[in-house]
Amino acid sequence: MKITRRAVLSTAIWLGMGWGIGASALAETPLTIGFSQVGAESEWRTANTVSIKEAAKNAGVTLKFADAQQKQENQVKAIRSFIAQKVDVIAFSPVVESGWDTVLQEAKAAKIPVILTDRAVNVADKSLYVTFIGSDFVEEGRRAGRWLLERAKTLPAGDINIVELQGTVGSAPAIDRKAGFEEVIKTNPNLKIIRSQTGDFTRAKGKEVMEAFLKAEGKKINVLYAHNDDMAIGAIQAIEEAGLKPGKDIIVISVDGVKGAFEAMMAGKLNVTVECSPLLGPQLMAVARDVKAGKEVPKRITTQEGVFPAEVAAKEFPNRKY
């Protein structure tokens, strides 16, 4: 009896159906992603982690997850571990911008593509990573600055003194949100940053640094610009404990758009938040599959986001997913 190629294929499909395997499952290749997260320093970061884990589960992706606890050396170890485990794709949100050349060269030598999420890196060889998925942090800073420019038109004439809570030193969002904000506010000579210090993106540190700002400058402070909502919420506590009214005595501007910020706006304690979406999981899984399949992807994939002043907080709050 002569067995044809068509007969073999038909039998294979029949057996697959018999075992409950559909055509799409037969076509779907297994994918393992090694992901190194910055840490769990904020509401935003927690939501980002949940998004990635849920998206991996829904997409049938094996996810090897490592929490760096905000230390670059932990991320380097995790990436080397992923290389040793021969994962299909490495993805990570870098703690800081610099210091990645060596470990990323190791990943390239192992022929494991690297995807950056949320934060960029500063490397001499751009081929060390395939793509970067995330927000435009400079534009976020500009949006915060533009909102303040408009608000300044309604304030009494004279200097408007700003204190700034920066994110983690050396991190992309801290560098870029500062640069974008300064680029815009310099068009109004009355807007002056009188104090600027890192709050490390945490609520506790934001409160601590704001206490120091208030002790040094007191009622001279007109505006607080925080590089994320968690630091702003910590600072709001410090402002209240100093006997001042956040949102009124001191205008509060922050970045991220987490639920806590909307609650603070509805309470009249925060004036505006610039959105930075953490829900990157589904996008990461889709891009990782394309990269594994050898498809060409854009070098830069920007998420679409908005600006939410206090006036729209109550209406928008039910729509927030993080």
Side-chain angles (χ1 to χ4, degrees), residues 62-307:
T62 299
L63 182 70
K64 296 183 180 294
F65 185 89
D67 182 339
Q69 298 178 323
Q70 291 188 284
K71 293 179 181 177
Q72 184 177 27
E73 59 266 33
N74 290 345
Q75 287 198 305
V76 171
K77 286 177 189 172
I79 292 168
R80 286 189 171 134
S81 172
F82 297 150
I83 293 168
Q85 294 175 69
K86 298 180 180 178
V87 299
D88 297 307
V89 175
I90 291 171
F92 76 113
S93 181
V95 174
V96 294
E97 281 193 341
S98 58
W100 301 104
D101 298 75
T102 301
V103 73
L104 293 187
Q105 282 164 358
E106 292 170 20
K108 186 176 181 180
K111 295 183 168 56
I112 300 174
V114 173
I115 296 172
L116 306 176
T117 73
D118 171 46
R119 300 181 179 183
V121 296
N122 185 6
V123 290
D125 180 3
K126 301 296 183 187
S127 73
L128 293 179
Y129 65 92
V130 179
T131 186
F132 165 42
I133 305 169
S135 305
D136 184 335
F137 299 134
V138 175
E139 182 58 25
E140 288 170 357
R142 290 190 192 116
R143 287 172 179 170
R146 289 186 199 116
W147 183 90
L148 182 56
L149 277 183
E150 286 302 307
R151 182 61 182 264
K153 294 174 183 176
T154 69
L155 300 177
D159 288 347
I160 298 168
N161 296 319
I162 305 162
V163 293
E164 179 182 33
L165 283 170
Q166 296 182 48
T168 303
V169 174
S171 69
I175 294 166
D176 293 350
R177 286 172 186 166
K178 181 175 182 63
F181 185 74
E182 289 181 347
E183 174 193 316
V184 171
I185 67 165
K186 71 181 180 183
T187 61
N188 181 340
N190 290 333
L191 296 172
K192 301 178 186 297
I193 297 175
I194 58 171
R195 296 265 171 176
S196 184
Q197 188 177 324
T198 180
D200 222 13
F201 284 128
T202 70
R203 196 169 296 198
K205 190 73 173 175
K207 183 176 187 286
E208 178 188 319
V209 176
M210 190 65 197
E211 285 170 345
F213 286 164
L214 287 161
K215 192 172 285 187
E217 303 294 346
K219 293 184 179 180
K220 281 174 61 181
I221 301 170
N222 306 117
V223 177
L224 163 66
Y225 169 47
H227 288 190
N228 83 337
D229 292 332
D230 275 75
M231 289 190 296
I233 291 166
I236 284 168
Q237 292 176 332
I239 293 167
E240 289 181 313
E241 287 172 11
L244 298 170
K245 292 181 178 179
K248 294 181 178 65
D249 295 328
I250 297 176
I251 292 168
V252 183
I253 302 167
S254 66
V255 183
D256 274 354
V258 300
K259 283 183 177 179
F262 279 78
E263 288 166 346
M265 285 193 288
M266 289 187 290
K269 298 177 182 181
L270 193 147
N271 302 85
V272 64
T273 184
V274 177
E275 185 177 36
C276 178
S277 177
L279 308 179
L280 305 179
Q283 203 170 14
L284 172 60
M285 299 309 141
V287 171
R289 282 211 181 277
D290 285 347
V291 167
K292 175 63 177 171
K295 295 180 183 177
E296 201 167 314
V297 298
K299 194 72 177 176
R300 179 73 168 91
I301 301 170
T302 306
T303 48
Q304 298 299 309
E305 294 147 347
V307 177

